[in-house]
Amino acid sequence: MSVPVERTKSGFHQRRWVALSGGVGGAKLSLGLARILGDRLTVIVNTGDDFEHLGLHISPDVDTAIYTLAGLVNPETGWGRRDETWTFMSAIAQLGGPTWFKLGDADLGMHVERTHRLRAGESLTAFCADACRRFGIAACVIPMSDDRVRTVVDTDRGTLAFQEYFVREQCQPTVRSIRFHGAEGARPSAPVLAALADPELGGIVVCPSNPFLSIDPLLAIPGLRDAVLASGVPVIAVTPIIAGRAVKGPAAKIMRELGLEPDAVSISGHYRGLIDGFVLDACDTGQERQIGVPTLVVNTLMRTLDDKIELARACLGFCERLVARPGRAQAHARAKAGS
Ligand code: FO1
């Protein structure tokens, strides 16, 4: 059954909405939200995964968001572009260069142009806005900051830069801790702060991205975390764990390594003090009793576009039924001090 895109103007359309997102899982829900909200959606994206590779500035989660919203993403991987060719990678391999991080030919255009424009003094935020316009994306995709933040993973095989851990080592090392270099001194850009302080803001949706690797880098930027806490609108989070397993990626493995049970209760606990509501999967019915905020139990697995739109609509409706808890900033500070 096809889910109708909103035709009549419901409450959703009167307001603006913010999604906080990492890579593939976050982009899927962002696409559902974008189909309903169009230019009333701002997606604030993790840049802790960014790195310099082969002389290029790679911004994987931002590109995943842009390609997904533009309908250009590779449906098999969830990252990179569909119908990609790999001549550049073959040439690098022939010359004995590094091939562990795969850059397709069309994708390469994004990295080359971005690197060139950043070196010419353009901000990452401005480049993303221009790319969105050129790809015909109505929603705003904004990097969390124009300042350099780099996720590093302390493991049993030493400290690894994020992409070394994630792609080169295939998330095999055991994680001991995760840090976000530069986050303490980083500032959210003006568009990030404007989106979070918009008087028309209806709510903030924390996408089903890996909380530890993909959402924590955003929240580690003090100005961004404070803007979310001060927003005065409901904040909800969607679980990336279904029946004890991550839909994609190493979230469940990392949780076990950090001494946490990989379930919805732990994920909601991780966001304690930040969120006013939590969305868990129907497979995990029963866990809502252990979650200390109002819950919504729905299908959170997004296989089709209809699934994405349906989950997005459920999230917006849930958000509209919630009120932002007064004293959220203080509650969050207490939760962090106690954890
Ligand atoms: N992920 C992989 O597992 N292997 C790759 O070779 C790879 C290349 C790649 C190139 C461009 C891009 O935008 C993303 C890419 N990703 C790749 C995905 C990316 O490393 C991760 O999914 C995210 O950083 C985690 O959200």
Side-chain angles (χ1 to χ4, degrees), residues 19-69:
L20 306 184
S21 179
V24 178
K28 285 183 179 178
L29 183 56
S30 299
L31 177 59
L33 290 165
R35 286 299 175 110
I36 297 169
L37 299 167
D39 65 0
R40 295 204 150 245
L41 174 68
T42 297
V43 188
I44 303 175
V45 186
N46 172 40
T47 56
D49 299 9
D50 289 20
F51 74 132
E52 288 67 38
H53 187 61
L54 294 166
L56 301 170
H57 181 108
I58 317 288
S59 208
D61 285 358
V62 168
D63 289 352
T64 297
I66 290 176
Y67 291 154
T68 302
L69 295 193

Side-chain angles (χ1 to χ4, degrees), residues 135-188:
F135 283 126
I137 299 170
C140 280
V141 176
I142 329 183
M144 64 188 195
S145 176
D146 287 319
D147 296 331
R148 184 189 164 96
V149 178
R150 294 292 180 267
T151 299
V152 292
V153 187
D154 296 313
T155 77
D156 60 343
R157 297 186 210 164
T159 297
L160 300 170
F162 178 83
Q163 297 295 348
E164 292 171 352
Y165 163 76
F166 198 88
V167 176
R168 197 189 69 199
E169 304 300 323
Q170 302 279 293
C171 309
Q172 290 301 316
T174 302
V175 173
R176 300 216 164 110
S177 62
I178 302 162
R179 292 174 291 135
F180 310 108
H181 272 175
E184 271 300 316
R187 291 149 307 160

